[in-house]
Amino acid sequence: MSNRDRILDLALTLMNEEGAEAANTTRIASALGISPGNLYYHFRNREEIVRVLFETLEVEFRAVLVEDVGPPIPPARFAAFYLRSFDLAWRYRFFFGGLLGLLRRDEELAARYRALQDWALAELERIAGQLVKDGSMSRPRGREGLRSVALNTWLIWMNWIRFLQISGKDVIQPADMAAGASQLFDVLAPYLDPAFEKSARRALARNLPR
Amino acid sequence: MSNRDRILDLALTLMNEEGAEAANTTRIASALGISPGNLYYHFRNREEIVRVLFETLEVEFRAVLVEDVGPPIPPARFAAFYLRSFDLAWRYRFFFGGLLGLLRRDEELAARYRALQDWALAELERIAGQLVKDGSMSRPRGREGLRSVALNTWLIWMNWIRFLQISGKDVIQPADMAAGASQLFDVLAPYLDPAFEKSARRALARNLPR
DNA sequence: GTCTATTTAGAGGAAACACTCTAGAAGGAG
DNA sequence: CTCCTTCTAGAGTGTTTCCTCTAAATAGAC
């Protein structure tokens, strides 16, 4: 593995475990046994490391949202989609944990994050709409029904891992992910076709992230 | 106003505007025109300032959750309760924005926060249960129905302001608070009695935070 | 084998920050 | 007036952190 990759790797681990601020250049370099000059050869500055990590997150995230939910959506794939998305959030938990601070310190990152978020919200709305079309779900009331459901899904999704960490859960287990998926489910539950819901929940309980 | 109060005041403003890390002791002292020694006379360290701010938040929060929701709960008071709670979250937004980092750096604060959160979750569940008893709401399905609804409410509540900030909203207006309250509403909406919901939404639209 | 581009080491500058220490002013109690 | 507590100033210490700069090692192209 190249030094560049080792830097990214360690930065991710460190940030995930102790927060985004914990991975300072000095620490990364010394833990890796390389010089600070070396680190700064590969990355212009600290922000760039975060930006590159965000890029990989973004690529993976878009893939999850697009690949896994082509119509029509069967319940098992729907459940797997939730679990996959939480797995991703877990692997990049540093990002969600310190999001506000990261975006404040890096205007470019902020712009890119916001674009991704807008896209995700539209996509979640599209997926919900698809479920309605599939006949797996009744349409939420109100002009903005679907949009609101998508937004609540997003809010819970992006904060579930953070909530676990805040609550003092140090080791997070598959069951915790499943609990998060279940919370997401409960946003849609009142609108879901009972057979679809039952089947999806069973898939969730089986707990297979693919 | 005593120097102690001025320190707390400025720390809160600074943290709200630029994040919890922005309010360093040097900056607070110099902005206030006092010496660092003076600041350290009033507070043992930086953490203590945050802890005191949290205490005032906690007191206010408990008051909102307890005072405003004695049974039975009429729709207008229910709406006002949501708006009041968002107003509080707004005034102490620094706390929610940097929560994970703050708790990581201060074990005592973490313990106190977690106790408050546990209490809040139980209280939200109690309120939902009260709505059911009042006949304003049908009971969510499942053994953990009420609990799940309470948890989703909590997750959205504690992250709504942060979501607005992350999304780049610099000036937050009453309409944004009402939108947050509406998102909270949509968690319960499928279970609410139509008349209750309509009436509560009207109260929300009227937008009076008391 | 030489030349050039890439990669690495490591010393160290510059600034930010939390906090300490000493000394003294201000104000109230007796 | 005197003493004691409360409050304030400001210099200064030690640490952390980001980042720069110079020089040298390494590796691939020709």
Side-chain angles (χ1 to χ4, degrees):
Chain A
M1 192 154 60
S2 72
N3 265 356
R4 190 188 136 92
D5 289 342
R6 290 173 64 217
I7 292 169
L8 286 172
D9 225 55
L10 186 70
L12 179 60
T13 306
L14 227 50
M15 287 177 171
N16 275 342
E17 276 169 12
E18 301 173 40
E21 332 73 38
N24 53 44
T25 57
T26 321
R27 223 177 134 189
I28 296 174
S30 79
L32 242 34
I34 66 174
S35 66
N38 192 344
L39 188 148
Y40 277 90
Y41 170 77
H42 290 290
F43 299 94
R44 204 194 333 221
N45 53 32
R46 201 174 158 283
E47 284 173 357
E48 194 179 316
I49 298 177
V50 175
R51 268 203 290 263
V52 171
L53 288 174
F54 171 73
E55 259 161 53
T56 67
L57 164 61
E58 176 169 10
V59 169
E60 280 200 66
F61 178 75
R62 286 188 191 264
V64 169
L65 233 61
V66 169
E67 280 170 27
D68 247 18
V69 289
I73 306 167
R77 214 175 64 200
F78 188 61
F81 159 67
Y82 276 174
L83 287 173
R84 283 232 297 162
S85 73
F86 272 126
D87 177 62
L88 186 63
W90 166 252
R91 273 158 40 228
Y92 290 90
R93 60 195 176 280
F94 86 91
F95 188 72
F96 302 97
L99 190 47
L100 192 51
L102 289 172
L103 299 195
R104 265 204 262 247
R105 276 195 211 89
D106 185 344
E107 199 49 56
E108 190 194 319
L109 183 67
R112 289 219 299 232
Y113 168 79
R114 279 171 204 141
L116 181 62
Q117 178 174 270
D118 289 344
W119 176 82
L121 281 169
E123 199 64 17
L124 285 172
E125 192 176 345
R126 188 188 65 74
I127 292 170
Q130 186 58 48
L131 286 173
V132 172
K133 264 189 210 141
D134 292 352
S136 308
M137 178 175 146
S138 66
R139 180 174 291 275
R141 269 173 308 167
R143 242 182 328 119
E144 305 286 341
L146 281 181
R147 178 118 203 116
S148 166
V149 155
L151 180 51
N152 273 351
T153 299
W154 173 256
L155 285 171
I156 291 164
W157 177 77
M158 73 177 299
N159 287 299
W160 178 250
I161 302 287
R162 185 171 174 253
F163 171 74
L164 291 176
Q165 293 185 281
I166 285 170
S167 303
K169 282 235 160 215
D170 290 324
V171 282
I172 274 121
Q173 292 157 338
D176 297 311
M177 304 288 204
S182 174
Q183 288 304 125
L184 283 185
F185 244 79
D186 286 343
V187 174
L188 293 183
Y191 309 107
L192 287 180
D193 169 63
F196 183 94
E197 182 183 355
K198 200 171 165 190
S199 177
R201 287 206 190 265
R202 239 201 315 261
L204 214 55
R206 262 186 269 117
N207 214 358
L208 57 164
R210 211 268 102 87
Chain B
M1 191 154 62
S2 73
N3 266 356
R4 184 173 193 276
D5 290 341
R6 291 174 62 215
I7 291 169
L8 287 172
D9 225 54
L10 186 68
L12 179 59
T13 305
L14 228 49
M15 287 179 170
N16 275 342
E17 277 169 12
E18 301 174 40
E21 332 75 36
N24 52 46
T25 56
T26 322
R27 219 175 137 190
I28 295 173
S30 80
L32 242 36
I34 66 174
S35 65
N38 192 342
L39 188 147
Y40 278 88
Y41 169 77
H42 291 289
F43 299 94
R44 202 199 329 229
N45 52 32
R46 201 175 158 282
E47 283 172 358
E48 195 178 315
I49 298 176
V50 175
R51 269 202 288 264
V52 172
L53 288 175
F54 171 74
E55 258 160 53
T56 66
L57 165 60
E58 176 167 11
V59 169
E60 280 200 66
F61 179 74
R62 286 189 192 265
V64 169
L65 234 60
V66 168
E67 280 170 28
D68 246 18
V69 289
I73 305 167
R77 213 176 64 202
F78 189 61
F81 159 67
Y82 276 174
L83 287 173
R84 282 231 298 162
S85 73
F86 273 126
D87 178 60
L88 186 62
W90 166 251
R91 270 158 42 227
Y92 290 90
R93 60 194 176 281
F94 86 92
F95 188 72
F96 302 96
L99 189 48
L100 191 51
L102 289 171
L103 300 194
R104 266 204 261 246
R105 276 195 211 88
D106 186 344
E107 199 50 55
E108 191 194 319
L109 182 67
R112 288 218 300 230
Y113 168 78
R114 278 171 203 140
L116 180 63
Q117 178 175 269
D118 289 345
W119 176 83
L121 280 170
E123 199 63 18
L124 285 173
E125 192 175 345
R126 189 188 63 74
I127 292 169
Q130 186 57 49
L131 286 173
V132 172
K133 263 189 211 141
D134 292 350
S136 308
M137 177 175 146
S138 67
R139 181 174 290 276
R141 270 172 306 165
R143 242 183 327 118
E144 304 287 342
L146 279 181
R147 178 118 203 115
S148 166
V149 155
L151 181 50
N152 274 349
T153 299
W154 174 256
L155 285 170
I156 291 165
W157 177 76
M158 75 178 297
N159 287 298
W160 177 250
I161 301 288
R162 187 173 172 252
F163 171 73
L164 291 177
Q165 294 185 279
I166 284 170
S167 303
K169 281 233 161 218
D170 291 323
V171 283
I172 275 117
Q173 293 157 337
D176 297 312
M177 304 287 205
S182 175
Q183 287 305 123
L184 283 185
F185 244 81
D186 286 343
V187 174
L188 294 183
Y191 310 106
L192 287 181
D193 170 62
F196 184 92
E197 184 184 354
K198 199 172 166 190
S199 176
R201 287 207 190 267
R202 239 201 315 261
L204 214 54
R206 260 186 271 116
N207 216 357
L208 58 163
R210 208 302 74 89

